[in-house]
């Protein structure tokens, strides 16, 4: 979509520098058809009422910030899946993966949604943690460029190009740095603040911006092209997980199970009823153009960034840990089972599924 003058800049700035939004009663406001989801909700109204009258348990989940790729978390909240589990979930935004984990170990949050490898980093420093759910199962970064001649099919093709990423030690920076190294190249990275990568690209300060959705789809619809996909390059990758302390899991395992169940149901909704999921996300991210949001969600599902279940696969975990070892963040990682507890996700996959009901 093309705009003119100051209005264009204002709208683009509003998209890039995302406004944090809190949504209450979102389903009642959804304008597009979500009939089968609403039918499912009505059929379960009695269950919800029983849990409400029995008391709702309030918990806090820490996150980096409201980011589109955390869609499963927001769907679980706004679609009522956490409520169905008897939970009233509040989010706090920390501004960093390491800060999110710090909020969990300090007791300011019951759970964290962030790069799960920070659990391993923390373990090496004497503070253990556990990954109990998978939120983002791939590398959700795409190299966007305004130069039609740039095409990157292998790391060596980055030769001669500069890339803007989020600042170190972000996962984006670490992955992009490793891609340069894998190509036998000296990393040519411009560390850029969150929300300003596309500005740097348009100002020709860099050749490529390593971006997230929905900014990727916004750029493509505006005439940019995707030069490469880290999702395709890395495949399954434990990028964002649900984390907790061993002590909290021992004291309240049922609470962890309820949270993971809510996540699993949101993963199901995103795949089985993408229009319903899209409607929910549009209410949480109202500044994102509906077409952009649709393309962004489609890309996240098609490239398997949004996983089918909340189970953290060892292959995905090993790739993430290997990257941290290469970056020098971890020297001697422990076995997979020392960091990841899949029992909650495995039970959720079996017992906590969302199935679109048949219309009467």
């Amino acid at each position: 979509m093309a705009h003119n003058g100051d209005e264009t800049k204002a709208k683009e700035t509003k998209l890039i520098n995302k406004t944090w939004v809190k949504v209450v009663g979102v389903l009642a406001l959804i304008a597009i058809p979500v009939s089968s989801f609403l039918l499912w909700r009505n059929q379960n109204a009695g269950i919800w009422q029983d849990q409400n009258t029995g008391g709702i348990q309030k918990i806090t989940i820490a996150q980096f910030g409201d980011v589109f790729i955390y869609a499963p978390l927001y769907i679980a909240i706004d679609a009522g899946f956490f409520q169905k589990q008897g939970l009233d979930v509040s989010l706090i935004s920390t501004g960093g993966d390491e800060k999110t984990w710090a909020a969990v170990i300090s007791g300011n949050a019951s759970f964290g949604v962030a790069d799960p490898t920070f659990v391993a980093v923390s373990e090496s420093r004497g503070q253990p943690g556990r990954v109990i759910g998978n939120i983002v199962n791939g590398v959700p970064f795409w190299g966007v460029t305004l130069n039609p001649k740039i095409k990157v099919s292998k790391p060596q093709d980055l030769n001669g190009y500069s890339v803007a990423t989020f600042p170190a030690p972000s996962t984006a920076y670490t992955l992009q740095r490793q891609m340069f190294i894998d190509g036998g190249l000296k990393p040519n990275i411009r560390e850029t603040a969150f929300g300003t990568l596309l500005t740097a690209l348009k100002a020709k300060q860099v050749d490529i911006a390593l971006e997230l959705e929905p900014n990727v789809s916004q750029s493509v619809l505006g005439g940019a092209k995707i030069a490469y996909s880290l999702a395709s390059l890395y495949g399954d990758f434990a990028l964002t997980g649900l984390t907790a302390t061993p002590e909290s899991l021992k004291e309240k395992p049922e609470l962890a199970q309820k949270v993971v169940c809510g996540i699993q149901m949101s993963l199901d909704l995103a795949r089985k009823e993408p229009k319903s999921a899209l409607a929910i996300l549009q209410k949480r991210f109202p500044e994102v153009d509906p077409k952009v949001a649709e393309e962004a969600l489609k890309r996240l599902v098609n490239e398997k960034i949004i996983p089918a279940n909340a189970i953290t696969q060892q292959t995905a975990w090993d790739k993430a840990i290997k990257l941290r070892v290469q970056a020098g963040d971890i020297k001697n990682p422990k076995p997979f089972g020392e960091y990841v507890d899949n029992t909650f996700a495995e039970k959720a996959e079996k017992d906590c599924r969302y199935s679109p009901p048949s219309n009467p």
Side-chain angles (χ1 to χ4, degrees), residues 83-246:
Q83 184 183 7
K84 183 179 184 297
Q85 297 296 322
L87 303 176
D88 179 3
V89 176
S90 297
L91 298 178
I92 57 171
S93 296
T94 66
D97 287 335
E98 72 284 359
K99 295 176 183 177
T100 294
W101 178 237
V104 175
I105 62 178
S106 67
N108 290 325
S110 300
F111 303 92
V113 171
D115 182 342
T117 60
F118 276 93
V119 164
V121 175
S122 178
E123 174 88 29
S124 68
R125 298 170 181 171
Q127 179 60 58
R130 294 293 182 271
V131 181
I132 62 171
N134 187 20
I135 306 290
V136 180
N137 185 52
V139 183
F141 295 103
W142 291 265
V144 178
T145 183
L146 296 173
N147 185 345
K149 296 181 180 180
I150 296 179
K151 182 178 181 181
V152 179
S153 57
K154 56 185 183 299
Q156 291 83 350
D157 294 336
L158 284 172
N159 187 32
Y161 298 126
S162 58
V163 182
T165 75
F166 304 143
S170 69
T171 307
Y173 173 88
T174 305
L175 287 167
Q176 187 60 69
R177 179 179 181 277
Q178 189 60 45
M179 185 177 176
F180 273 109
I181 293 173
D182 289 343
L185 306 172
K186 180 181 179 180
N188 187 1
I189 298 174
R190 183 186 180 97
E191 298 179 49
T192 308
F194 181 79
T196 64
L197 276 72
L198 294 181
T199 300
L201 181 66
K202 292 175 182 178
K204 297 183 179 181
Q205 296 171 349
V206 293
D207 300 299
I208 301 168
L210 193 67
E211 263 290 9
L212 293 164
E213 288 289 7
N215 289 346
V216 174
S217 293
Q218 172 73 14
S219 299
V220 171
L221 290 174
K225 61 170 282 189
I226 295 176
Y228 57 93
S229 165
L230 290 190
S232 298
L233 181 65
Y234 285 95
D236 287 346
F237 191 99
L239 190 108
T240 304
L242 182 69
T243 58
T245 63

Side-chain angles (χ1 to χ4, degrees), residues 9 18 20 30 72 110 113 131 173 296 318:
K9 295 180 180 179
K18 174 162 180 358
W20 308 129
I30 292 172
S110 300
V113 171
V131 181
Y173 173 88
D318 289 345

Side-chain angles (χ1 to χ4, degrees), residues 46-92:
I47 298 175
W48 291 13
Q49 185 177 5
D50 291 342
Q51 291 182 333
N52 286 334
T53 55
I56 293 290
Q57 186 172 6
K58 294 185 177 181
I59 66 167
T60 299
I61 296 179
Q63 60 167 0
F64 166 82
D66 280 0
V67 185
F68 197 89
I69 62 169
Y70 292 173
L73 175 63
Y74 308 135
I75 294 171
I77 295 172
D78 296 339
F81 294 140
F82 283 144
Q83 184 183 7
K84 183 179 184 297
Q85 297 296 322
L87 303 176
D88 179 3
V89 176
S90 297
L91 298 178
I92 57 171

Side-chain angles (χ1 to χ4, degrees), residues 225-283:
K225 61 170 282 189
I226 295 176
Y228 57 93
S229 165
L230 290 190
S232 298
L233 181 65
Y234 285 95
D236 287 346
F237 191 99
L239 190 108
T240 304
L242 182 69
T243 58
T245 63
E247 294 80 10
S248 67
L249 296 178
K250 183 177 181 180
E251 293 174 4
K252 297 181 179 180
E254 72 286 348
L255 178 59
Q257 188 63 67
K258 290 177 179 180
V259 173
V260 179
C261 276
I263 293 294
Q264 179 60 62
M265 296 184 79
S266 73
L267 296 175
D268 289 339
L269 182 68
R271 290 179 170 276
K272 295 178 180 180
E273 287 198 16
K275 287 186 178 180
S276 297
L278 179 62
I280 292 169
L281 292 172
Q282 284 179 319
K283 288 298 180 180

